[in-house]
Amino acid sequence: MIPIKPARRASIAWPSEGLTRVPYTLFQDEDVYADEQDAIFRGPNWSYLCLEAELVNAGDFRSSFIGDTPVVVTRDTDGELYAFENRCAHRGAMVCLEDQGNAKDFSCVYHAWTYNLQGDLLGVAFKDGIGGKGGMKPDFCEGDHGLRKLRVATLHGLVFGSFSDDVPQLDEYLGEEIVARIARVLEGRTPVVLGRFTQMLPNNWKLYFENVKDSYHASILHLFFTTFQLNRLSQRGGIIVDPSGGHHVSYSAVDHAAEAAAQAKAASDYADQKIRSESEHRLEDTSVLAGTDEFGDGVTLQILSVFPGFVLQQIQNAIAVRQILPRGTQQTELNWTYLGFEDDTPELREMRLRQANLVGPAGYVSMEDGCVGGFVQRGIDGASDSSSVIEMGGDSAESSESRVTEASIRGFWKAYRNAMGY
């Protein structure tokens, strides 16, 4: 049977300028939000769920989400990973109420319908009634009432899930360049979770995903980057945008020999543009800036995103994954997981912990990202007939050696339009 695509609730007339214009109504409209859940998050895409390292033993589980749909990821006694919707087939209550743990099965607290680690229905309380009275109908079949299951795929310790049978294999979905950049950070390594944060953002989820893909703003908005020479647009680097547009990598590297000579010129360039690039702020303890080239390529910053809501970051030696979850038209849940690795030396582990202060809700670098989306959300209130202008670097959604471009943002909207049928 050919799956029937849900009818769209929202009708969007995209501006004639194409990817360089984005209607503000997409960040405000409730019908658009509902369509996104069907077409994107429950559609033919892979969404990040958790780390394999969080599911080591049989019975280990982790609660997660795909869009606004709660799911559970487990490792069964056969050693395989499974994922299913966290919604009892009986009356819709969540069957797993904890973030993570170890269990033999899952039993709904409401009426005690019980499911195994693969989401199959094991038993129904008082299925046969009491004293020959009540109970389920004789033709009730437990096998017909399991939890809705997801496809599961893993890559270098990352666990992804999809509700769709039509989505390509994960490596094909990502493409060679994105897979290679994930492998650069994670291949052959066993992650160790160093910490977690959950951050609620006062803006639509797409505004944060735009921000992640926006290399143009990084050394303008983030004063810490330019004050301490961690990231300037003059540094060697580039943008990778995969053919679908949905996935991207932004990276920069420090050429120490050339950097000393370029610093004065870069400072002058920022001053000429009247961009705040220096401040009176100084660090009492500069050890947070100390890093090591653990990958041997000089790249000090790599931000990688996977459509529709995953980020893998390397900022110096601070490694983290981010999960972007929509929570209505004007709120986003952002989950941060900070990573080390089993083979870290004590010195490298301490370095990662210090550099964790750069990122997260109160990070020296990323704290501004937590509020700037809210500035946009408030600024476009009442402007649903207007559009943003995304022309930096041209009008294409292609890879670039320059980071003074919005190509990867245009790439996101290319993938978004394709998924939504706009």
Side-chain angles (χ1 to χ4, degrees), residues 13-15 17 20-25 383-390:
W14 205 277
E17 295 88 344
T20 65
R21 297 293 186 275
V22 177
Y24 287 138
T25 190
S384 58
D385 293 335
S386 299
S387 301
S388 60
V389 178
I390 309 177

Side-chain angles (χ1 to χ4, degrees), residues 260-325:
Q263 279 186 13
K265 176 64 168 61
S268 175
D269 289 342
Y270 276 77
D272 291 344
Q273 296 289 326
K274 295 181 172 57
I275 293 171
R276 56 185 194 133
S277 61
E278 298 288 346
S279 77
E280 73 281 5
H281 300 301
R282 295 295 179 263
L283 294 172
E284 291 291 336
D285 180 359
T286 59
S287 62
V288 70
L289 302 176
T292 185
D293 185 5
E294 66 179 291
F295 303 106
D297 56 8
V299 173
T300 54
L301 182 146
Q302 176 180 290
I303 304 296
L304 180 152
S305 69
V306 173
F307 186 86
F310 170 75
V311 181
L312 171 63
Q313 68 151 66
Q314 174 228 335
I315 300 177
Q316 300 281 80
N317 304 101
I319 313 296
V321 295
R322 311 178 203 168
Q323 182 188 36
I324 304 167
L325 298 173

